[in-house]
Amino acid sequence: MQDLLAQARTDALAEAPPMRREVEDFVTAGKRRRTRHRLLQGGGGAAALLIALALVPVLSSPSPAPAPVAAPVSYPDTGWTYGFKGYKTGDFTVTAPEHITPGYQELYVQRGQETSDLYGGNGSDVVASSPLYSANITVYRPGVFQPSRFTGGEAVTVKGRPGLFKQSLKYIDSSDLAPGVALAWQYADNAWAVASSVVRGEYNKAELLQLASGLAPSAATPATVAIKTSFAPAGYTLVSAGRTDDFPSGASYMAASIRLSRTAPSYVSLTEPIDASTGHGPTVRIALYPVEFTDSTHRRPGGASFCNAGDANLCFRMTADGRYLAEIYAGGGAAIPQSDLLKTLDGLQFADPEQPSTWFPVA
């Protein structure tokens, strides 16, 4: 079979969710510096002033340089293509897009140096950490998003364009996360983006407006992932890919994710991101994790694929260097022979997750 990702060029990743993590929030305090200006005053009579003017040429201040014109924000025309920059604004670091579907791509927000920490068996020692992404920015393809969930929200503007702010709204209605603040705005004609807090109480309206104002385009770049398939179960096509999985199944410590589905979700009149793991029929997720974020019982050096003794739909394979664990999971009622799951893992190729230049194009 040809590379599955190429097959998905025109096709419109029950999870075995990653291990639960404990989140340690660090609130970073800002310091304001004040600068005081002294007014230097001089004296002297009118005659002295006239002499000075006669002897000293008058130097005019140069005209200030015009402010650079911001490039218009637009969505890439080609499918499976990233088109937005990562950026910093105030205390926030926003990633470049790390997850993509046929209808939207997602950027993730870290406040200060906040991390999500994994604790050892004694509950006190941190054995691994990754950035804590406490807000998401979802940029929708033009014509895809309908802001009906923001009905009744407060009208705002972002760079002169209309938006709506809600004080309490779930990122995805079906998720078990508490609602938070959310901002939807038109970044271009008939094209919407949404910034949402995914940690309750973490953000306010001014901060979401700050994040929204920083969104900027980048050169269109093909989406890539650190894994490549040479085989996949028949009848399944690509519906999402990136460094992480569909929210809320994804995690900041993931190295790669590919989600396949027998029935591609519709990307028409979306009101929120799609969690393809629920309510969309049979699905397969192939993911790559650093081993420090995995159960030690699943770490079998040597690169041979094997399946979980208690779940026939869950199989694993370590990379040859022992640093990463690949996982395949069939959910949503998928009836896939275990031999096909193992064959999919056996056919995986791995790039260096720490070197994006080595990753494989999605399409």
Side-chain angles (χ1 to χ4, degrees), residues 173-267:
D173 265 342
S174 60
S175 75
D176 58 2
L177 294 177
V181 294
L183 169 69
W185 77 99
Q186 289 194 52
Y187 66 88
D189 292 343
N190 196 33
W192 290 79
V194 176
S196 300
S197 169
V198 292
V199 176
R200 187 174 185 178
E202 279 287 319
Y203 289 79
N204 56 43
K205 180 178 71 174
E207 290 171 330
L208 292 191
L209 287 169
Q210 178 183 346
L211 291 170
S213 295
L215 183 68
S218 69
T221 304
T224 57
V225 288
I227 52 179
K228 182 179 180 180
T229 59
S230 60
F231 172 84
Y236 287 79
T237 56
L238 183 69
V239 294
S240 68
R243 201 184 57 77
T244 188
D245 189 18
D246 297 330
F247 186 90
S249 299
S252 62
Y253 51 81
M254 293 179 69
S257 179
I258 297 172
R259 183 170 290 279
L260 319 172
S261 178
R262 286 191 67 90
T263 304
S266 171
Y267 295 94

Side-chain angles (χ1 to χ4, degrees), residues 102-115:
Y104 55 85
Q105 47 197 274
E106 291 183 319
L107 299 74
Y108 303 107
V109 183
Q110 180 186 24
R111 182 195 291 272
Q113 300 298 316
E114 290 180 343
T115 59

